[in-house]
Amino acid sequence: MAKKGFGKFVVLAAAAGAAAAGISYLRKYKSFNDELEEEFHDFEGGEENDDDLFEE
């Protein structure tokens, strides 16, 4: 009986760990995606003044 209860505990712990890892990955991906989107818009907005760099 003790082995059966321990097995259930191990399965539950593995499922909880997988869920925590998935949530952590998704939060990290969302944060990275938001940061990348912001940097892209900053870069995209700066193109108007780039013409002055090549004029002589």
Side-chain angles (χ1 to χ4, degrees):
M1 276 299 197
K3 288 185 179 182
K4 193 178 232 183
F6 183 70
K8 287 182 181 180
F9 174 73
V10 170
V11 169
L12 181 63
I23 291 169
S24 174
Y25 173 78
L26 290 175
R27 290 184 68 198
K28 190 174 192 179
Y29 175 77
K30 184 180 180 333
S31 172
F32 174 73
N33 194 24
D34 291 345
E35 183 178 327
L36 188 63
E37 185 75 21
E38 182 180 323
E39 288 179 8
F40 174 74
H41 287 300
D42 290 346
F43 178 75
E44 188 178 41
E47 288 182 5
E48 296 170 2
N49 298 330
D50 288 346
D51 294 337
D52 296 338
L53 296 175
F54 299 109
E55 291 181 5
E56 293 181 16

